Amino acid sequence: MSVTVDSDKSGMVPQESRRHRFLRGPRPESVPLLVGGACAAVGLIDVAAGVFPGFRHSRMHTLAEVLPGALGPFAAALSLSSGVLLLLLAHGIKRRKRRAWRSAVILLPAGAVAQFSYRHSILGVLLSLALCFLLIRHRAEFAALPDPRSRWRALANFFLLGAGSLALGLVIVSVHPGRVVGDPSIADRLQHVLYGLFGLEGPVDYRGATSWTVAYSLGSLGLLTAVTTIYFAFRPEHPAARLDEADEARLRALLERHGGRDSLGYFALRRDKSVVFSPSGKAAVCYRVVSGVMLAGGDPIGDVEAWPGAIERFMDEARAHSWTPAVMGCSETGGEVWTRETGLTALEIGDEAVVDVADFSLAGRAMRNVRQMVKRIERNGYETRVRRVRDIGATELERIRRATADWRGTDTERGFSMALGRLGDEADGDCVIATAHLAGADGDDPSPYGDLKAVIHFVPWGEDGLSLELMRRDRSADPGMNELLIVATLQASPRLSVTRVSLNFAMFRSALARGERLGAGPVLRWWRGLLIFLSRWFQIESLYKFNAKFRPRWEPRFVVFRKGGELPRIGLAALQAEGFVNLVPPRPFRPRAPRPCDHRGDRPSDRSVRAA
């Protein structure tokens, strides 16, 4: 058994023991999954028992008809409400959430009472009580802490549960054909449901006690929607942690010493991320939680010897909240450490284009297209300026910031693992901004930004590197602005003491390159065809071809995950984090610095698709 030195510990820690600790985890996951599925099944039974008349027929049904008061209709409403709530809680039970466990332990006995009082089913009672016993028996399994949350959940609950209540209400109104008076239309039934959700009498009438049963059931759905929405609106918030000034200062200190290791390191300073540090403070992992997935971006920050301690803290945090751990866009070295320390799996998702400044030249046949494009644009009167942020005046910097925000191609801010999310911050003085200007445009150009026509923003990559973060241009500018500014930055790099520049990330670059070669097999050609088809939405092929213009070297990037079945969920979470999918309105974010412009656009050369 090999032994490695963990700088976060006081002694020698066996490498294999740490891996086994991660793989073993706190407890097996089979019990929460089984109990969560059982909760969903019992919830469906309770809903069916409260809705469909056929589920209520039994020897005791005749006796229940003559019971005093509204015991029957009340039991139907209770069965329906407890069933709906159990369905909503099933996912939280599967994720071992403590609050979901507490709610289910209360609801299951209530459902059992409703089953006995209204459906008169001994089997239904036994199923509910048996499941409640399992929850109590395995209560130690359900210790996960709550997820970050905001009051947007109340709005989502109102619309989703309201729509579900409306649909279920139509079923309730329509499953009593033998008791309906007359022949009400669909509009009458819908009106009856809407009135019933607010506790009012609608236009549909029934014979006997059925009208009370329908009224109680609809009223319970309306009350359930109102109560849960009010609860989500007024409960204490647990917002996602933001990068505070102290944590940012610690990260900057780590980047000052170790920032040259990973081109994505500076993006750890994005202020809508959370961070965990190793016990020694010599390494850190930055992440964001999206839809229950704990997404880390790039490699850990800091000393490689201290990475295991930071990774351990990351995995502990994931287990404490029952989040799905994942890493987007880590390097080969980072992937090796993650897989070795945690037992996770790594999958190559693409390549990063890195240009070595010393090897770059516009001469030669391979650079003919770029050279001709740059010369043509320069002849049209465009000039470029490449400067550090600290060397740009406040007035001009504000104009650049407003221009990039106005030129953004989408309403949604995009980016996570490979974007900074701000431009021109005082703390980012080492960043580089390249701008393109059209000579003589100030007088006759209607643009509010004068001669400014395009902007590219780079973040530091250690002491001698730059990493592309943002590309924007005026839509009225000549084509080729991005090529012009990249060439200008590469030519100005010696003056800035820069020896390497990281460009865009090309997803599945190797598959595209191999699939177009002579002799490629049918599977590889099919995979390349699928990627080209997907490029209509995610610009996979266009980014690869754009990067290839500059003759870069390709550095592979990986996604790290726990098991293959989680990849669709991780992929959806990554698309949400990058801003390509927006399921819930974003939580308002107020940075400490001036309001950042969006760092995303819809140009093929935008770095926004790097982690898509």
Side-chain angles (χ1 to χ4, degrees):
M1 178 174 61
S2 62
V3 177
T4 59
V5 177
D6 185 354
S7 61
D8 297 329
K9 303 290 192 300
S10 59
M12 307 291 283
V13 179
Q15 175 179 311
E16 288 293 329
S17 65
R18 186 185 300 115
R19 181 189 298 120
H20 291 164
R21 183 165 68 251
F22 284 125
L23 291 175
R24 183 174 65 249
R27 290 220 178 234
E29 297 183 357
S30 57
V31 171
L33 291 175
L34 177 63
V35 175
C39 276
V42 171
L44 286 173
I45 293 173
D46 286 347
V47 170
V51 173
F52 297 102
F55 273 68
R56 302 196 298 269
H57 290 164
S58 68
R59 295 178 180 178
M60 298 179 63
H61 188 67
T62 304
L63 178 62
E65 293 289 342
V66 298
L67 289 177
L71 178 61
F74 175 78
L78 179 61
S79 178
L80 182 63
S81 300
S82 61
V84 171
L85 288 174
L86 283 173
L87 287 173
L88 296 177
L89 292 170
H91 182 63
I93 292 292
K94 291 180 180 179
R95 295 183 57 206
R96 304 186 293 111
K97 293 298 183 181
R98 187 68 176 178
R99 292 186 176 181
W101 175 87
R102 291 171 181 168
S103 300
V105 167
I106 296 173
L107 285 171
L108 284 168
V113 171
Q115 289 273 1
F116 183 78
S117 302
Y118 191 55
R119 187 185 172 211
H120 324 303
S121 170
I122 302 300
L123 180 60
V125 172
L126 292 178
L127 283 175
S128 297
L129 295 181
L131 183 55
C132 186
F133 171 78
L134 282 176
L135 284 171
I136 296 174
R137 172 69 177 79
H138 297 281
R139 57 187 177 276
E141 302 280 355
F142 305 94
L145 300 174
D147 290 346
R149 66 197 186 203
S150 71
R151 291 189 173 91
W152 284 112
R153 180 72 181 274
L155 185 62
N157 177 84
F158 175 76
F159 284 107
L160 294 178
L161 191 55
S165 298
L166 186 63
L168 191 56
L170 283 174
V171 175
I172 294 173
V173 170
S174 304
V175 293
H176 307 276
R179 301 273 181 120
V180 178
V181 177
D183 186 20
S185 64
I186 295 295
D188 291 335
R189 297 172 191 267
L190 182 60
Q191 183 180 358
H192 191 86
V193 172
L194 291 173
Y195 281 20
L197 292 177
F198 288 94
L200 304 175
E201 186 68 28
V204 181
D205 196 13
Y206 299 88
R207 300 183 185 93
T210 303
S211 60
W212 288 101
T213 303
V214 172
Y216 273 59
S217 299
L218 293 177
S220 67
L221 288 176
L223 183 63
L224 185 63
T225 303
V227 169
T228 54
T229 300
I230 292 172
Y231 167 73
F232 287 133
F234 291 99
R235 67 177 177 173
E237 282 192 288
H238 285 265
R242 303 296 183 182
L243 200 65
D244 59 29
E245 293 184 4
D247 288 339
E248 183 175 336
R250 295 178 67 184
L251 286 173
R252 288 187 182 276
L254 293 177
L255 288 170
E256 186 176 351
R257 295 192 295 269
H258 306 283
R261 186 177 300 279
D262 183 17
S263 65
L264 308 186
Y266 200 85
F267 299 123
L269 299 176
R270 186 181 171 95
R271 288 169 182 160
D272 57 357
K273 289 183 177 181
S274 304
V275 61
V276 289
F277 289 90
S278 64
S280 68
K282 295 181 179 180
V285 175
C286 294
Y287 67 92
R288 185 195 292 175
V289 179
V290 182
S291 297
V293 177
M294 190 176 182
L295 279 174
D299 293 345
I301 307 300
D303 188 354
V304 176
E305 293 296 325
W307 283 7
I311 291 174
E312 181 176 354
R313 288 284 180 88
F314 177 87
M315 297 299 290
D316 288 343
E317 190 78 3
R319 281 197 300 271
H321 293 268
S322 191
W323 292 330
T324 299
V327 184
M328 297 299 299
C330 66
S331 68
E332 188 169 3
T333 300
E336 290 176 352
V337 176
W338 274 100
T339 55
R340 185 185 71 233
E341 297 297 327
T342 65
L344 301 179
T345 302
L347 176 67
E348 183 176 343
I349 57 172
D351 297 270
E352 179 183 16
V354 178
V355 178
D356 293 313
V357 174
D359 299 332
F360 177 77
S361 173
L362 286 177
R365 184 176 181 83
M367 299 297 295
R368 179 182 176 183
N369 290 337
V370 176
R371 181 174 64 252
Q372 290 179 343
M373 181 178 293
V374 170
K375 294 297 183 182
R376 175 180 57 80
I377 296 174
E378 289 177 343
R379 286 195 301 269
N380 289 342
Y382 286 90
E383 62 179 26
T384 59
R385 303 169 192 169
V386 182
R387 295 160 290 175
R388 298 279 184 184
V389 168
R390 60 173 174 265
D391 297 328
I392 303 176
T395 302
E396 184 180 1
L397 193 58
E398 178 60 25
R399 182 176 65 150
I400 293 173
R401 188 183 295 116
R402 288 188 292 105
T404 54
D406 188 43
W407 295 339
R408 183 175 61 202
T410 61
D411 294 331
T412 304
E413 180 180 354
R414 291 180 175 176
F416 162 64
S417 59
M418 303 175 186
L420 188 61
R422 61 182 184 268
L423 186 148
D425 193 291
E426 293 182 359
D428 302 321
D430 288 335
C431 292
V432 171
I433 293 180
T435 55
H437 304 262
L438 181 58
D442 287 320
D444 55 358
D445 197 317
S447 171
Y449 310 111
D451 63 347
L452 181 64
K453 295 300 177 182
V455 176
I456 288 186
H457 184 225
F458 295 86
V459 300
W461 176 11
E463 296 180 352
D464 62 347
L466 294 176
S467 188
L468 178 61
E469 193 266 343
L470 172 148
M471 279 183 155
R472 296 283 165 72
R473 73 176 183 90
D474 189 337
R475 302 299 175 178
S476 64
D478 292 357
M481 290 290 104
N482 296 327
E483 290 87 342
L484 173 69
L485 289 179
I486 287 179
V487 170
T489 302
L490 291 170
Q491 292 175 339
S493 291
R495 173 173 56 84
L496 299 172
S497 300
V498 171
T499 62
R500 51 185 179 168
V501 176
S502 169
L503 300 179
N504 293 293
F505 171 79
M507 284 189 63
F508 306 113
R509 194 250 352 150
S510 59
L512 290 170
R514 295 170 188 168
E516 64 184 358
R517 292 177 184 172
L518 182 66
V523 175
L524 193 55
R525 289 199 303 270
W526 176 86
W527 176 227
R528 179 176 179 272
L530 177 62
L531 293 176
I532 293 175
F533 174 75
L534 294 175
S535 295
R536 299 179 182 181
W537 296 277
F538 297 107
Q539 303 171 346
I540 300 172
E541 185 186 26
S542 57
L543 272 175
Y544 160 57
K545 290 184 175 181
F546 179 86
N547 293 335
K549 292 180 181 179
F550 303 96
R551 318 300 294 176
R553 57 181 169 89
W554 300 99
E555 297 289 341
R557 289 282 171 174
F558 300 83
V559 57
V560 178
F561 56 97
R562 189 164 48 187
K563 51 187 178 182
E566 295 176 344
L567 276 176
R569 184 181 179 190
I570 293 172
L572 179 60
L575 289 174
Q576 289 179 255
E578 295 292 342
F580 289 95
V581 175
N582 189 20
L583 301 180
V584 178
R587 182 178 184 271
F589 171 50
R590 299 178 178 86
R592 299 187 303 274
R595 181 178 179 180
C597 71
D598 189 357
H599 48 82
R600 291 308 184 214
D602 57 358
R603 298 300 302 164
S605 55
D606 195 336
R607 196 179 178 96
S608 63
V609 201
R610 293 185 60 176

